[in-house]
Amino acid sequence: MITFDLVNRYSSEFLKGTWEEKVKSNCSKEIKRARFQGNLLCENIIIYNDPMDMESTSIPYIFDGVNWNKSLNGDPEWIFMLSRHRRVKTF
């Protein structure tokens, strides 16, 4: 069972020191990808081009708002991919 003591201990260990600089220097590719995806989302565009996406593609999908139950390409997996946790983080 996770207690708040464990969460607090983890947070203080993780957040001590120069973790921000370590993330910036070791994860620059992911930061760049997240910014790119975030900027696209601000323009109502989504691209499933992550290697972890079930069917990676470079096709940009333009949407006006998010209808979580509508597939823009007729594939039901599109709906599943829209709600993936990585995508929610980008939102």
Side-chain angles (χ1 to χ4, degrees):
M1 181 171 155
I2 297 177
T3 65
F4 284 109
D5 292 335
L6 289 173
V7 172
N8 288 334
R9 191 171 76 211
Y10 172 80
S11 293
S12 64
E13 285 295 314
F14 179 75
L15 297 175
K16 75 178 180 182
T18 59
W19 67 272
E20 288 180 78
E21 288 305 317
K22 289 178 184 174
V23 170
K24 286 179 184 177
S25 64
N26 294 312
C27 303
S28 60
K29 185 176 178 180
E30 279 301 313
I31 292 169
K32 185 177 179 179
R33 177 187 284 279
R35 277 201 181 119
F36 176 74
Q37 292 285 359
N39 288 336
L40 287 176
L41 287 172
C42 288
E43 300 293 325
N44 294 326
I45 299 170
I46 192 167
I47 299 176
Y48 293 116
N49 62 352
D50 189 271
M52 296 303 292
D53 289 339
M54 284 190 290
E55 296 175 20
S56 293
T57 180
S58 59
I59 299 171
Y61 292 95
I62 300 170
F63 59 92
D64 184 18
V66 178
N67 181 346
W68 295 94
N69 297 313
K70 180 181 177 186
S71 170
L72 295 182
N73 67 356
D75 184 351
E77 286 183 12
W78 201 93
I79 298 166
F80 177 75
M81 288 305 299
L82 184 62
S83 65
R84 294 289 294 244
H85 294 292
R86 187 188 63 75
R87 192 69 55 204
V88 171
K89 176 186 76 174
T90 304
F91 288 150

